[in-house]
Amino acid sequence: MEAFDQPWKRINEGSVGAYWGVYDVKRQPKFAFTSPIVGVPEWRLLAGISIVIGIITFAMLLIDGKTLQNRGRSFLAIVAFLAATGGVWIIYTYYQQYMTISSIIVGILMIIGIIGVTLVLLTEAHEWAEAIWLQKWRRPFTPIQMQDEDLPMVSVHVPAYNEPPEMMIQTLNALARLDYPYYEVIVIDNNTKDPAIWQPVEAHCATLGCRFRFFHRDPLPGFKAGALNFALAQTAPEAVVIAAIDSDYQVSPLWLRDLTPQFARPEVAIVQAPQDYYDDKENLFKAMCYAEYKGFFYIGMQTRNERNAIIQHGTMTMVRKSALQEVGGWSEWCITEDAELGLKIFAQGYEATYIAKSYGQGVMPDTFIDFKKQRFRWAYGAVQVMRHHAGILFFGPGKTKLTTGQRYHFIAGWLPWMADSLNMLFTLAAIGWSIAMIYAPLKFDPPLVILSSMPLMLFSFKMAKMIYLYRTRVGASITQTAASALAGLSLSHTISMAILQGIFTKSKPFFRTPKMEEAHALHKALLSAREEGLIMLALWLSAYGVAIKQGTGASDLLVWIIVLLILSIPYLAAVVVSLISGFSWLPSSLIRNRIKLEKTA
């Protein structure tokens, strides 16, 4: 102990050398010499600030929360006040340091990070509460019965590119079995070069009768959206509803009969059923993917439907033809043209209806690379939509009819993906900081314990939410829940890269696929997750280096090492899932008890 703090000693003794004094650098005593020592003299002020922020946050969470049960309100209150207290405490603790230019810069970045983590935490908590503790569903799916003569005509559009003809034939046969009086099927094959692929499909359409029409166009710009716009132009004039399915989907015979009566309400422009898959028992990898998909369709989509804010996805969707034409058709500039279409239709004041029941099944990605490509496209497309429609999403009503609830769900729904991109930047910064701690231990100390614990708290909260909701809302077993968590975590790096590319580029995304046609299964698996594996090793080596160089005796060092190991979990998950995908002979029976297809409230 010394008389006065001496910040200049930080150079030779590390940051602790600046705080040995009884008096601070301004010659003020750090504590009263004649009264009990209070660790935080300003605790009353800090508590008051936390309470005010907590009340404001809690009030915002309860906006439009009239159907929330008291348990849900209590849960949100606890989360709001804990988040406010944690944020105030982190800023106060950091402020007690002697500030330098570098510490001020780090402090500003820290505040931005706290705001981001808090927003993600609150949106996750809000979805958790609304998925479990609702008094009743505000917009439940209500079946409508109609006589055959009153049913609207439906034009079913099936875009295809270079698809196996035997798979396409199964899709068309299922459409031929539809129990519906008035419909047509338009198959548009765009840009497939090999006639041996598309000609068998054309011939099979001819055998199914006049309801089925086949078109092959090469070249046809616009990718899938271009094909759908071409099909729209070929649609029968009397068609009222456009239905779209992917080329691998085998629909239920009751799909149109059960769902098209919803269009009897003129305000309804979209009727959506979930995506589903029939190959989940093929191997362990696909069983894991199947478990991961369920969370979106049986949790997220149902809570979004409460505020008429579902994400329209391009298969198993039906849209009113006049509404589709009103918004200019499918957008060919966007690789998630389905989600973008839904947002445009909502902006015109129309409603969507969602039913959490499977009416068709397709196939899942065969490899981890394909799984990553699919999620990359979804995340990149989300950024495209947000950039293009930033005006109606972020800057007030204007000419749009989007409601506050719709804006909230579109932004909040994509916020965790934005957080993934920031988390990757934090991970790279953590590796760099750890290297500095190893080679210059007197100049670089571990971050404050409470600051280091932020990613730990967010990770723990998200895992707890996923486990609880999968068990209660999806009806998944413990094994399925673990499989879903592993598959979801394995995509974190892919989502991060997609978001960053979406922010800094405008053209179609580029997803680098390693050349591995002749590689062994193990080699293929490792190549599929090569970036994730390298970052995982970097985090492990950073943790090991810090432990060897500085030890683990101090709490801040121990917490920092734990943080590095926690940060490596998503990258480890990617390597594990890639290995499982590489050895696709592993039976899906390792994940027993298939997830229930329907979980109604």
Side-chain angles (χ1 to χ4, degrees), residues 236-437:
E238 61 271 24
V240 175
V241 175
I242 303 297
I245 63 168
D246 287 345
S247 57
D248 59 327
Y249 263 72
Q250 298 180 33
V251 299
S252 162
L254 295 177
W255 175 41
L256 298 184
R257 181 171 291 278
D258 284 359
L259 302 188
T260 52
Q262 298 294 319
F263 289 98
R265 298 170 54 215
E267 64 271 19
V268 171
I270 299 170
V271 178
Q272 183 75 61
Q275 293 179 201
D276 194 17
Y277 308 93
Y278 58 77
D279 57 342
D280 60 298
K281 296 185 181 299
E282 187 173 304
N283 55 57
L284 179 57
F285 169 69
K286 289 196 174 186
M288 295 174 68
C289 294
Y290 187 82
E292 195 271 339
Y293 288 133
K294 287 299 173 184
F296 176 73
F297 295 110
Y298 293 94
I299 299 173
M301 286 286 278
Q302 287 188 282
T303 56
R304 295 176 71 106
N305 186 55
E306 288 293 273
R307 293 183 179 85
N308 189 34
I310 65 169
I311 292 286
Q312 184 179 14
H313 42 92
T315 193
M316 303 310 298
T317 189
M318 288 185 272
V319 59
R320 191 181 296 274
K321 185 176 75 171
S322 59
L324 178 59
Q325 293 171 329
E326 182 180 342
V327 299
W330 306 84
S331 294
E332 298 179 16
W333 56 265
C334 184
I335 63 172
T336 50
E337 67 289 325
D338 41 12
E340 196 270 345
L341 174 66
L343 180 60
K344 289 191 300 186
I345 288 176
F346 286 138
Q348 296 300 315
Y350 290 106
E351 291 186 15
T353 295
Y354 179 72
I355 178 170
K357 179 181 178 181
S358 173
Y359 278 94
Q361 297 177 313
V363 295
M364 287 177 283
D366 290 316
T367 66
F368 185 54
I369 279 289
D370 293 330
F371 191 41
K372 290 170 63 175
K373 283 181 177 180
Q374 182 190 64
R375 198 58 53 94
F376 188 97
R377 182 176 66 84
W378 293 353
Y380 188 95
V383 181
Q384 283 187 309
V385 174
M386 283 192 288
R387 288 179 57 168
H388 190 82
H389 294 290
I392 63 175
L393 283 172
F394 296 99
F395 302 111
K399 297 180 181 179
T400 179
K401 295 180 181 179
L402 283 180
T403 65
T404 302
Q406 288 171 329
R407 285 194 182 87
Y408 166 77
H409 279 292
F410 272 92
I411 297 171
W414 288 324
L415 190 60
W417 285 356
M418 303 297 157
D420 278 343
S421 64
L422 294 177
N423 186 65
M424 189 184 74
L425 297 178
F426 177 81
T427 297
L428 297 178
I431 293 172
W433 191 271
S434 299
I435 293 173
M437 288 173 61

